[in-house]
Amino acid sequence: MMSSARVSKADEEHGRLLFAQGCEFVRGAASLDGIPTTRIPEVAFCGRSNVGKSSLLNALTGRKTLARVSNTPGRTREINFFRLGDRLMLADLPGYGSAQVSNADSARWTELIFAYLRGRPNLRRVVLLIDSRRGPLPQDVEVMDLLDSSAVSYQLVLTKIDKLKPGELAQIEAQTAEESRRHGAAHPELFVTSAEKGEGIAQLRAALAALAPP
Ligand code: GDP
């Protein structure tokens, strides 16, 4: 059963403190060689190009460093790693599904992501972003299949909910929940967010803080 996430005030405070730390760029990786070895628990962010990933990462960390690095030409096709102190690594995965991308690029993306997922014992969760105006699209479902087959725990997060008309959210939540139920490795909690209005950000921070050691 999928449900919209509820968190306590204490958990929100843990989340706030975790994300109030400096967020430091570690490095970008275009291939398996570049992926930093670390024992710090890691959360990866993933989604279609334009889904609002940079905006969400900015909202979570309260600074623009992260998105600025990840949107630097040459870095958009890399996995970019950031560190929140010694507690949590954030991996910003390259966006997928852009119409301009060739088959070769798409194959390269899959290869990089497979390599990453295979060799990442510290990976606690993949946050898969879904545009709330569209719900899960075929490419999102392909990525969910890939995550299922890698046995990686992942979580769906709806973005840009401020763009919805009243009443639309419930429908898109139900549709997203239905898709999620078809996937073994999907976490049953759905987060609904607006980077623009700040909705759902504290709750998501809290959920991610629960994956980091105290
Ligand atoms: P990325 O390609 O996934 O990193 O997406 P961006 O964060 O660059 O966002 C793509 C577009 O969506 C930009 O024009 C953002 O301003 C817009 N956007 C992102 N998040 C939100 C949101 O929460 N609300 C609204 N209204 N627009 C958003």
Side-chain angles (χ1 to χ4, degrees), residues 48-55 160 162-163 194-196:
R48 286 168 53 87
S49 305
N50 231 30
V51 72
K53 181 158 53 71
S54 305
S55 304
K160 308 187 194 181
D162 60 288
K163 290 207 177 195
S194 162
E196 190 119 327

